[in-house]
């Protein structure tokens, strides 16, 4: 069934139907455009959201990314950023494959429809013109035939009239004959026009119009097929990026799975562990045994707590807690044996009342308890200060555990720089040998400044390396932590240089006041991998510092993402470079 056969008389209906189809295509294009705008706005809002909650460089939040729960949240933000990119890709593909394509096709359909309707109009006008000619010839034939009949009747009447002359009769007969001849010509013309019109009408209704209507039908069917493809593309465009969106969602799930609460606790301990031991119990100083009952009230003073005395007894060498306080020569050390009392010759002091022992204990409790009431007090007591520029270089202002780590890190950095200088020196040496053997390639003397500079750099780095290694060994050889020995102060309240753990005033201020654990240094040519990654997509690695990879390739992770979206990896052949973090699945070693 086709339009030309079944709808031969429904030209107006076909006109309206084809116009309605084109309007539907235009409406669908507008719908897709609005959908792309929604996708673009959604992607923009997602990117702004990820940027809003991403830590800024050098901020406290970025430093906390070493914890797995913080790193997982950062991974989620990166995945959301990639997810936003996929939404933008959906919008872009819909705009190119649907909106632009259908708009271009719609213009072609409009031109084709306009051409077919123009042909219909021309055919109708031609048929109407033929019908007008037919109608005119018909009316002329009718008019001339009536005139011929009148002329024939007049001639017959004249012939029967007795009063008419022979000339009148002959004239009337000639007139009737002429009119009859004209009527016959009009009749023949009418017949010819009628035959022509019937032929044109048959051509119009059985050939021309069905052909045009069938072309319009073919155009409309092609329009429907193209529109159906646009409907399918609407779903396929999003379906094509669903695997990548699924990987983004898998990355979010993996980020949650990689959170290790136990490891975060260990990281916090390693980051802030000071290496100090907990303070020991405060010893009881029994001053009641040395009370001279014959002495006056002014001969005794209220006992002080051990921590209070320790805070007052800091000398100039320490300068940690109180720079202005000085230790009186007559003060009593809480860690030493009380001085020998004089013989009891007088009555007991009225200050102690009836029970001097209970009074002393009460006073000791008053002075000791406020000093050890909280960890904040202890932390404030042991807060180190920067002594000199040398101490800052040796990290002596840090707690023992943190100092040891910083020294080890500094040694590792210097070792890497030294290795680079050694490699450069070796390369310059080989180049110099080549120049000496082949002078046309270059002048060996031109390499002398570089070789000299490299040697100086190596010497400087070796000196720094030895210095930091000696500091590390020194820190590890001092013991585990600071201990307050009961023999560190003599009876006069001064330091005893012969007692274990005592620090004399002659000690160099550049020496650290903390002890640390020993850590062996092992020089490595290459940094040990911290995990592995599998490429999700191919990456050309055309930029400087990057490395190419193929989809599915397994690489070793040397340095994890610092928040800038790049991860440093290494191949088995030793090639290193950076790749986009979102292009690979990364598994770090536990």
């Amino acid at each position: 069934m086709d339009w030309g056969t079944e709808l031969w008389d429904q030209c107006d209906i076909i006109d309206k139907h084809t116009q309605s189809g084109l309007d539907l295509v235009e409406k669908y294009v507008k719908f897709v455009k609005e959908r792309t705008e929604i996708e673009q706005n959604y992607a923009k809002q997602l990117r702004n959201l990820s940027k809003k909650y991403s830590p800024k460089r050098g901020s406290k939040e970025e430093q906390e990314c070493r914890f797995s729960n913080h790193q997982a949240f950062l991974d989620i933000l990166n995945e959301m950023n990639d997810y936003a990119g996929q939404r933008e890709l959906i919008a872009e593909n819909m705009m190119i494959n649907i909106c632009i394509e259908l708009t271009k096709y719609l213009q072609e359909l409009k031109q084709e429809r306009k051409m077919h309707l123009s042909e219909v109009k021309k055919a109708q006008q031609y048929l109407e013109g033929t019908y007008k000619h037919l109608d005119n010839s018909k009316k002329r034939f009718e008019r001339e035939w009536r005139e011929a009949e009148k002329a024939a009747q007049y001639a017959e009447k004249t012939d029967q009239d007795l009063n008419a002359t022979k000339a009148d009769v002959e004239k009337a007969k000639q007139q009737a004959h002429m009119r009859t001849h004209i009527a016959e010509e009009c009749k023949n013309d009418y017949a010819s026009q009628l035959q022509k019109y019937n032929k044109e009408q048959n051509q119009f209704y059985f050939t021309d119009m069905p052909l045009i209507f069938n072309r319009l039908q073919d155009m409309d069917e092609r329009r429907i097929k193209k529109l159906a493809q646009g409907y399918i593309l609407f779903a396929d465009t999003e379906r094509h990026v669903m695997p990548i969106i699924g990987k983004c969602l898998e990355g979010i799930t993996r980020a949650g799975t990689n959170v290790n609460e136990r490891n975060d606790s260990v990281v916090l301990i390693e980051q802030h562990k000071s290496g100090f031991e907990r303070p020991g119990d405060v010893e009881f100083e029994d001053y009641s045994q040395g009370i001279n009952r014959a002495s006056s009230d002014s001969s005794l003073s209220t006992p002080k707590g051990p921590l209070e005395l320790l805070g007052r007894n800091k000398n100039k060498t320490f300068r940690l807690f109180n720079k202005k306080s000085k230790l009186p020569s007559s003060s009593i050390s809480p860690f030493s044996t009380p001085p020998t009392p004089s013989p009891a010759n007088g009555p007991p002091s009225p200050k102690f009342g009836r029970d001097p022992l209970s009074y002393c204990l009460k006073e000791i409790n008053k002075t000791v308890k406020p000093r050890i009431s909280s960890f904040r007090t202890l932390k404030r007591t042991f807060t180190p200060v920067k002594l000199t520029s040398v101490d800052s270089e040796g990290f002596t202002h840090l707690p023992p555990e943190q100092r040891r780590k910083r020294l080890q890190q500094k040694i590792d950095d210097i070792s890497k720089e030294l290795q680079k200088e050694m490699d450069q020196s070796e390369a310059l040496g080989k180049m110099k040998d080549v120049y000496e053997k082949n002078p046309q390639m270059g002048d060996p003397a031109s390499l002398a400044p570089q070789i000299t500079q490299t040697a100086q750099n190596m010497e400087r780095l070796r000196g720094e390396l030895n210095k930091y290694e000696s500091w590390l060994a020194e820190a590890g050889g001092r013991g585990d932590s600071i201990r307050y020995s009961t023999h560190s102060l003599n009876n006069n309240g001064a330091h005893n240089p012969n007692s274990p753990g005592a620090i004399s005033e002659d000690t160099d201020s550049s020496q650290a006041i903390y002890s640390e654990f020993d850590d062996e240094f092992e020089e490595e040519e290459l940094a040990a991998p911290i995990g592995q990654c599998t490429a999700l997509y191919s990456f050309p690695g055309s930029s400087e510092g990057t490395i190419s990879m193929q989809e599915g390739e397994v690489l070793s992770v040397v340095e994890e993402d610092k928040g800038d979206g790049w991860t440093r990896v290494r191949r088995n052949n030793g090639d290193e470079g950076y790749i986009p973090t979102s292009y690979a699945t990364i598994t770090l070693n536990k």
Side-chain angles (χ1 to χ4, degrees):
M1 299 179 67
D2 53 55
W3 292 1
T5 303
E6 306 299 334
L7 301 177
W8 63 271
D9 57 344
Q10 301 296 331
C11 182
D12 294 339
I13 299 299
I14 292 176
D15 185 5
K16 293 179 181 179
H17 176 75
T18 52
Q19 182 62 42
S20 175
L22 297 180
D23 292 341
L24 178 61
V25 175
E26 190 171 0
K27 184 186 298 184
Y28 180 66
V29 170
K30 291 181 179 178
F31 164 76
V32 177
K33 282 184 178 180
E34 292 185 7
R35 165 69 190 278
T36 57
E37 292 176 359
I38 293 174
E39 290 289 350
Q40 289 173 349
N41 292 333
Y42 179 47
K44 182 179 180 181
Q45 292 176 1
L46 285 178
R47 289 191 182 278
N48 292 336
L49 182 66
S50 300
K51 183 179 180 181
K52 177 181 177 181
Y53 286 93
S54 296
K56 297 179 175 58
R57 291 184 179 273
S59 63
K60 182 179 179 181
E61 295 179 354
E62 186 181 30
Q63 297 175 0
E64 290 179 348
C65 289
R66 67 190 67 186
F67 299 105
S68 62
N69 57 95
H70 288 268
Q71 183 61 41
F73 181 63
L74 184 60
D75 293 341
I76 291 175
L77 295 178
N78 292 333
E79 294 295 345
M80 288 303 297
N81 200 41
D82 295 340
Y83 179 81
Q86 298 307 312
R87 306 314 303 187
E88 290 176 344
L89 183 61
I90 291 175
E92 181 181 356
N93 290 339
M94 282 187 175
M95 181 62 70
I96 295 175
N97 299 330
I98 298 179
C99 295
I100 297 178
E101 197 69 28
L102 282 183
T103 300
K104 181 180 178 181
Y105 190 70
L106 181 63
Q107 297 299 324
E108 295 176 357
L109 290 180
K110 288 182 177 180
Q111 293 295 330
E112 184 178 356
R113 176 178 176 275
K114 182 178 179 180
M115 180 186 68
H116 292 324
L117 293 180
S118 177
E119 292 176 355
V120 171
K121 187 176 181 180
K122 288 181 180 180
Q124 289 177 343
Q125 290 177 350
Y126 183 76
L127 184 63
E128 289 175 356
T130 306
Y131 181 77
K132 286 182 180 180
H133 287 295
L134 173 63
D135 187 59
N136 291 335
S137 63
K138 179 181 177 181
K139 289 179 179 179
R140 183 183 176 191
F141 168 63
E142 182 181 4
R143 184 175 63 253
E144 293 297 333
W145 187 255
R146 287 177 183 176
E147 292 292 333
E149 286 182 348
K150 289 181 181 180
Q153 291 176 0
Y154 179 75
E156 184 179 356
K157 184 178 179 181
T158 303
D159 186 41
Q160 294 178 359
D161 188 4
L162 298 176
N163 296 323
T165 63
K166 185 176 181 180
D168 293 336
V169 173
E170 189 64 27
K171 183 179 179 180
K173 287 183 179 180
Q174 290 179 357
Q175 185 70 21
H177 180 74
M178 183 184 65
R179 288 290 179 184
T180 302
H181 180 71
I182 293 174
E184 286 295 334
E185 289 180 355
C186 290
K187 179 181 178 181
N188 294 334
D189 182 62
Y190 169 65
S192 175
Q193 290 293 333
L194 180 62
Q195 185 179 5
K196 180 180 179 181
Y197 174 76
N198 289 334
K199 182 179 178 180
E200 293 294 336
Q201 181 177 253
N202 185 71
Q203 177 75 17
F204 178 80
Y205 286 111
F206 289 93
T207 304
D208 295 342
M209 294 303 294
L211 180 62
I212 297 174
F213 286 169
N214 288 338
R215 289 175 181 174
L216 287 172
Q217 179 184 0
D218 179 67
M219 179 201 74
D220 192 66
E221 290 177 354
R222 285 187 283 110
R223 188 265 310 169
I224 295 174
K225 184 177 180 180
K226 191 72 173 181
L227 186 60
Q229 293 176 355
Y231 293 159
I232 297 174
L233 281 175
F234 188 78
D236 289 344
T237 301
E238 188 164 356
R239 186 180 294 111
H240 288 162
V241 300
M242 286 303 294
I244 302 179
I245 292 178
K247 291 181 179 180
C248 293
L249 299 178
E250 290 176 2
I252 295 176
T253 304
R254 186 167 54 253
T257 306
N258 291 339
V259 173
N260 189 333
E261 63 277 4
R262 185 62 183 171
N263 186 63
D264 285 359
S265 299
V266 174
V267 170
L268 181 65
I269 293 173
E270 293 296 330
Q271 183 178 354
H272 298 286
K273 181 180 178 182
S274 65
F276 292 120
E277 286 189 355
R278 296 178 180 86
D281 296 337
V282 179
E283 297 182 0
F284 174 71
E285 300 291 338
D286 190 358
Y287 290 94
S288 62
Q289 296 179 2
I291 295 176
N292 186 357
R293 297 183 181 274
S295 61
S296 62
D297 294 345
S298 60
S299 63
L300 295 175
S301 61
T302 304
K304 302 295 182 179
L307 292 180
E308 182 178 353
L309 287 175
L310 181 61
R312 294 176 55 189
N313 290 338
K314 299 301 176 183
N315 57 17
K316 294 181 180 179
T317 304
F318 282 87
R319 295 188 181 274
L320 293 176
F321 311 110
N322 190 357
K323 294 182 178 180
K324 295 182 178 180
S325 62
K326 294 184 179 180
L327 184 65
S329 60
S330 61
S331 61
I332 300 176
S333 169
F335 305 105
S336 60
T337 305
T340 304
S342 60
N345 295 323
S349 172
K351 188 175 182 179
F352 290 93
R354 296 181 179 179
D355 191 357
L357 178 60
S358 61
Y359 175 81
C360 292
L361 293 176
K362 184 176 181 180
E363 292 299 321
I364 290 174
N365 290 334
K366 286 182 180 179
T367 57
V368 172
K369 287 182 179 179
R371 293 292 182 174
I372 59 174
S373 58
S374 64
F375 285 105
R376 187 179 292 108
T377 306
L378 293 176
K379 182 177 180 181
R380 185 165 56 249
T381 304
F382 292 109
T383 302
V385 296
K386 183 176 180 180
L387 297 178
T388 63
S389 60
V390 179
D391 291 338
S392 177
E393 185 180 6
F395 305 113
T396 55
H397 62 288
L398 296 176
E401 187 72 16
Q402 301 303 321
R403 184 192 178 205
R404 181 188 63 80
K405 292 180 180 179
R406 292 292 295 273
L407 287 173
Q408 185 63 54
Q409 182 180 1
K410 190 69 176 179
I411 290 174
D412 294 341
D413 295 341
I414 296 175
S415 299
K416 291 179 181 178
E417 294 181 10
L418 180 60
Q419 183 62 38
K420 290 180 181 179
E421 295 293 337
M422 293 173 63
D423 294 340
Q424 184 176 359
S425 176
E426 183 180 357
L428 290 173
K430 292 180 179 179
M431 188 180 298
K432 182 179 180 181
D433 294 340
V434 172
Y435 286 175
E436 290 176 351
K437 295 179 181 178
N438 302 293
Q440 67 276 9
M441 298 183 65
D443 184 11
S446 62
L447 300 177
Q450 299 182 32
I451 295 176
T452 304
Q453 183 64 35
T454 304
Q456 292 176 357
N457 293 339
M458 291 170 58
E459 188 66 24
R460 176 180 55 82
L461 291 174
R462 286 194 181 98
E464 292 184 3
L465 183 61
N466 294 332
K467 178 174 62 176
Y468 279 97
E469 285 179 345
S470 64
W471 280 338
L472 181 61
E474 178 185 354
R478 286 189 172 185
D480 294 341
S481 64
I482 294 179
R483 291 182 174 84
Y484 301 100
S485 173
T486 57
H487 303 287
S488 60
L489 299 176
N490 58 22
N491 292 339
N492 293 326
H495 291 280
N496 185 359
N498 298 323
S499 61
I503 305 177
S504 65
E505 294 186 359
D506 297 332
T507 303
D508 188 0
S509 61
S510 65
Q511 295 179 348
I513 64 169
Y514 304 103
S515 58
E516 303 175 4
F517 297 100
D518 188 16
D519 188 18
E520 295 181 357
F521 168 74
E522 296 181 0
E523 183 177 1
E524 298 180 357
E525 296 183 358
L526 294 175
I530 60 175
Q532 287 187 340
C533 67
T534 303
L536 297 175
Y537 321 103
S538 298
F539 179 66
S542 56
S543 302
E544 183 178 359
T546 60
I547 187 173
S548 62
M549 65 177 180
Q550 301 297 325
E551 182 177 356
E553 185 177 359
V554 179
L555 304 170
S556 299
V557 178
V558 180
E559 181 180 339
E560 60 181 325
D561 190 353
K562 300 299 183 181
D564 54 359
W566 295 90
T567 300
R568 187 180 177 188
V569 298
R570 180 194 301 147
R571 281 200 179 91
N572 293 334
N573 60 3
D575 294 341
E576 290 188 7
Y578 288 90
I579 63 169
T581 305
S582 59
Y583 277 51
T585 302
I586 299 175
T587 304
L588 299 179
N589 298 331
K590 299 296 183 181

